[in-house]
Amino acid sequence: MYSSSQRGYLWLSLTPKMTPLRRRRLLEYEPDPGRLMQDFEACRDDVVSLVGEETYEELLHTILSRKVDREIEALQAMGAVALTPADDDFPSGLLDLDQPPVALYCKGDLSLLLGRNLAVVGTRAITRYGRDVTQNMVADLVTHGFCIVSGLARGVDTVAHRTALSYDKLTIGVLPCGLDKVYPAENKDLYEQIAAKGLLVSEYPLGTTVQQYTFVERNRIIAALAMGVLVTEAGEHSGAGITVNHALEQSRDVFVVPGNIYSKASVGTNNMLKSMQGALVTTAYDILEYYHVAVDQGPACDLQLDIVETQIMEALEEGDRHIEELMALTQMNVSTLTPILTKLELMGLVKKLTGNYFGK
Amino acid sequence: MLAKVKSFSLIGLAGFPVDIEVDINAGVPAIDMVGMPDVAVKEAKNRVKSAIANSGLLYPIKRITVNFAPADLRKEGTLFDLPLALAILCASQQVPPSPLGEFVLIGELSLDGSLRHVNGMTPLLISGMQAGYTKFIIPASNAAEASFVEGLEVYAAKDLLSVVNFLSGAAPLQRVAHSEYNPTAGKGLYGFDFADVHGQAVAKRALEIAVAGGHNVLMIGPPGAGKTMLAKCVLSIMPDMTFDEAVEVTKIHSVAGLLDADKGIVSLRPFRSPHHSATVPSLVGGDRKAKPGEVSLAHLGVLFLDEVPEYNRRALEALRQPMEDGVVTVSRIAQTVEYPANFMLIGSMNPCPCGNYGSKVNACTCTPVQIHNYINRLSGPLLDRIDIQIEVDNITYGEFAQAVPAESSADIRERVVKVRELQRERYKGLPMLTNSEMSNREIKKYCPLDKECEQLLELAFHKLGLSARASYRILRVARTIADIEGSERIAVNHLSEAIQYRSLDRKYWS
């Protein structure tokens, strides 16, 4: 059951044209929106002077059309809940925001909101470098107890979520639309997996479609839900920059992975590092160390590699190698070398990359 | 007076005898044709009239009735000009009925009386021979083609007059001498040799395996990586065609009018690369005349589809049936024609629409949906028939050129021939020649795996995210690799290598 003030917050959330400014004015006038909702028509003149005639009508219409009840029913039907500032478990980070959301619609494991969360964000146009960095860092972070917060967008977000799930670890997805919408559409399976194993959150009521501004607003929630933000790859105009600014405003930690200075896909991250040298991280262990997390070395390595395998692994230490380089190095031909590479690949030591390249 | 002359016509590659009966009576001068002649046959009357007159002979100014028997089959083409002319000349008593009745006549006439080339001579002669006919008179330009059909008495004539002189005993006609088929005549004529391809070791090895085991190949790589060059080299490592194979290919090319008249036989394996705007009929055959399509023209050779995803989806799906059966059935209104279509498919494609997917420096501008849609234009059932998927890259090999020079195609072909021989022995009595044709039952029989191999395969599925349908293809390729290495059983290293040739199956693609 939702209390009167919870319903009041939902009322504000569900009313169109409620800009953050109007919301704040109303909440300053009456801190408990539940009470305002109950004798709304009595306060007509005050409300009109605060937010205008039109918004007053909208607010009134939301009450009269019983929108709040219908939203609550729809949420229950899909197994979701709405948290409001009136709830005890409303994430405290969100209240510190300049423009705090009046509701957080959640589907999944609510306890994750209180866990050790780290946001991983970055470009949508991910390159192989960004993919490798994101995969490797997220793997180390989730195995050391961090829960990954990200935005379910293409590129870094998707890789971060998927990597966390592939290790059977939890992850929080912050949507730029209502919980009943999936964006981008190809991430439908990811959306369902996170809803089942992790947590999906959104500040927008059901049915809200993505708008340009929702992506921007969503980023402040990503930053607020996490103790720090890790940017793995970002181009010049990446939305990750917005998330980082929010993180700085909310005094969250920022970690940035440097990139190739010639790569357009890394201009954003490299520029961030110019102004925040302290944010530079090159491995997940930098972050673990910062948070004083004991590093789990894992079981001792007892893999027995023969001479050729060792030779290959040493060559790959220095960077990705083309198969012909490895052939020249080992003096082997394709038919003798590929079985060895398959073996190393299955042992998880080598990765087959596109274009006949192999890497670690 | 009545005259009767024998000729032959084709439905697809199968010939059937046609009797041309001419009756000349008194009446208004005219010529009537019956027996389902098509337009080209009906027009013969004008050509025949001029040819007879211009040969210094007499065209009868009487009522002429022509019947093409059997009357219920449609007669097509221009090859009835010569028999029609002689039937008229015989009926008007300018040529004696004997020995005319012993011969099968085939040829198109020019207005000046000279004989012109006819398409489909090889299948015509072969089906004539099978029907028990041995004596033929054909145009001189078809002589080379006819010379490869043994056991026939074939006379090649330049013009109508020399045929008339021959039949009336006035002058002899040159008999076509038999030519021996020389499979090596075209050796080195493919023009592309693996020795000229620098680097690309993986692609070369994969293509060797593909040819040895008859597997279809998909090459994935950016534009300019040399996919077309590699595909063209494939011909040079294929075994020489046997005489029977050469005749089979010649028949199809002859019907399609693509045969080199001077050579008379196709001794080089065909390489067909239809443009990606190709329609379904142009690929599998058809249109009004039930002509052979690209799949049949590539019979026993290579069908190269550059930029496979760009092809019409329906055209690609139409390839499935010929790939499965080795023959293609072309249906028309009146009849169904079957053409052989046993080809090796080599496809090439970019890794994604922009070509930069997986590039080390350039960012790929394609969305995952775009890449997904691009790859998905190749349907599962089509990919199921492609055993080997390899990546071809366009890096410069100067940096790590090997001291060992590249192997020549001739050396590779020697190995291929041996492996093909091995497979022929193994599948004796079965309707198959290569490992790629193994069905599930044969895979169970010929590809037993020991425990270690089973574990490897199991691990590969989990670790590399291979799809389940990949397993049979991996086993077929592993069988071929084991054959190349001369191993009775499939060992771990054979299987491990085969796993590397499944690039597109991996989940992390897109």
Side-chain angles (χ1 to χ4, degrees), chain B residues 219-223 227 307 309 348-355 374-375 509:
Chain B
M219 291 191 280
I220 305 146
K227 291 168 289 196
E307 297 300 335
S348 83
M349 62 186 282
N350 287 336
C352 68
C354 82
Y374 183 74
I375 307 253
W509 197 283

Side-chain angles (χ1 to χ4, degrees), chain B residues 75-86:
Chain B
K75 319 299 177 307
E76 284 174 349
T78 54
L79 52 86
F80 300 119
D81 290 5
L82 180 64
L84 178 59
L86 281 158

Side-chain angles (χ1 to χ4, degrees), chain B residues 97-177:
Chain B
S98 174
L100 175 60
E102 298 166 19
F103 288 94
V104 172
L105 286 92
I106 295 165
E108 177 186 329
L109 281 173
S110 171
L111 294 189
D112 62 1
S114 57
L115 279 167
R116 295 173 57 88
H117 187 85
V118 167
N119 287 337
M121 188 54 77
T122 308
L124 283 167
L125 291 176
I126 289 173
S127 47
M129 184 166 72
Q130 283 163 350
Y133 299 93
T134 53
K135 290 177 157 184
F136 293 82
I137 297 176
I138 61 166
S141 57
N142 284 105
E145 195 178 339
S147 71
F148 289 97
V149 186
E150 208 178 352
L152 292 181
E153 200 179 323
V154 181
Y155 297 91
K158 278 211 161 52
D159 50 30
L160 179 61
L161 194 59
S162 53
V163 179
V164 172
N165 287 341
F166 169 64
L167 291 172
S168 45
L173 207 51
Q174 205 199 339
R175 187 175 161 184
V176 175

